[in-house]
Amino acid sequence: MAFISFPRLHQLSGAHKLIAVGAFAAVVAAAGCTSGSAAPSSTSAAAASGASSGSPATVTAATKGSLGSVLANAQGMTLYRYTPDAPGVSNCTGGCATAWPPLELAPGVTTPVAGKGVDGLGTVKRADGSLQVTYDKMPLYTFTGDSRATDAKGQGLDGTWFVIKSGASGASGGATATTKAPTTAAPSGGGYGY
């Protein structure tokens, strides 16, 4: 870090002293912001409305065109469920996890934050030791084919990937997942006839 030399404060007028002190504070603050470490994407978005802890919501509810209100990550990207998974077990690894990145908590974070209207969040430990966020005990994923927060291109893909609807009343009375895997494989562009 380069040192900046300021004139002695006693040689400056009152207004100039304030400007010099403010400039110094700005330089110090900027230096602290460029430490070289980036925050993981799951915690870098602005907080969703309704996050109760004041932390950014890990999972929110977002409207996705004709699909209606579905679960999304902190950046608004659609979240999906993989039907070969089991409660508390993620079966999407290797190339699957490259195309369908697991929604993981930042290192040191152990509890996901639910946005307004979302409940039932938890975690499952992946083989690499990271914590993947779950909804109703099922692991959550994003899709690399979605390039914008309005996208939900993974819905029904290969008959195994489905969005998780929010806003329906469940046994707990809160927002719960209503999209379940069909008993027969859905066409790759289909799903539930939305």
Side-chain angles (χ1 to χ4, degrees), residues 23-76:
F24 179 72
V27 169
V28 169
C33 292
T34 58
S35 64
S37 64
S41 62
S42 65
T43 60
S44 62
S49 65
S52 60
S53 70
S55 298
T58 310
V59 177
T60 64
T63 301
K64 307 289 178 167
S66 63
L67 293 174
S69 183
V70 301
L71 298 185
N73 69 6
Q75 293 79 25

Side-chain angles (χ1 to χ4, degrees), residues 1 7-8 13-14 29-31 40 44 56 60-61 69 88-89 95 99 109 134 164 166-167 172-173:
M1 178 175 161
R8 295 191 184 263
S13 69
S44 62
T60 64
S69 183
V89 178
V109 177
T134 62
I164 302 162
S166 66
S172 65

